Amino acid sequence: MDNAKRHLPGDVGQSLRFARRRRGWSFRVAERNLAVSAGYLCHLERGRRVPSTAVAEVLIAGYGIDGPHAERLRSLAVPDVGRWWSPPP
């Protein structure tokens, strides 16, 4: 994976932060509700990590992201192939 793919563009991380805060969720509440660690969510919001396809879908559904923001997050996500983690049913 090239270096550009390992980091989210800053505006996407800011959009994730806005979506979490719009719900009134702290990192810990988001962690509990989304089953994604608070540390990982923090890295995503700061653009230090790129979500897997599964995590992107969890974020989209859990935060209520739609339209072009959802499509952009999906387009930046990395495939889940070979990952041990999967979102809860």
Side-chain angles (χ1 to χ4, degrees), residues 35-76:
V36 177
S37 79
Y40 188 57
L41 292 170
C42 181
H43 281 299
L44 291 171
E45 289 184 11
R46 291 175 184 239
R48 294 181 181 162
R49 297 285 186 272
V50 174
S52 68
T53 303
V55 170
E57 291 302 326
V58 167
L59 295 171
I60 289 166
Y63 287 160
I65 300 169
D66 58 9
H69 294 291
E71 290 309 312
R72 182 143 188 242
L73 187 56
R74 285 183 182 111
S75 75
L76 294 168

Side-chain angles (χ1 to χ4, degrees), residues 4-53:
K5 192 71 170 169
R6 293 182 186 175
H7 302 283
L8 279 179
D11 62 314
V12 176
Q14 289 173 358
S15 293
L16 291 174
R17 181 178 296 114
F18 176 79
R20 177 179 56 79
R21 288 180 175 171
R22 184 182 65 219
R23 292 256 189 236
W25 293 354
S26 66
F27 280 118
R28 294 294 175 207
V29 170
E31 175 181 55
R32 189 172 48 250
N33 292 339
L34 303 175
V36 177
S37 79
Y40 188 57
L41 292 170
C42 181
H43 281 299
L44 291 171
E45 289 184 11
R46 291 175 184 239
R48 294 181 181 162
R49 297 285 186 272
V50 174
S52 68
T53 303

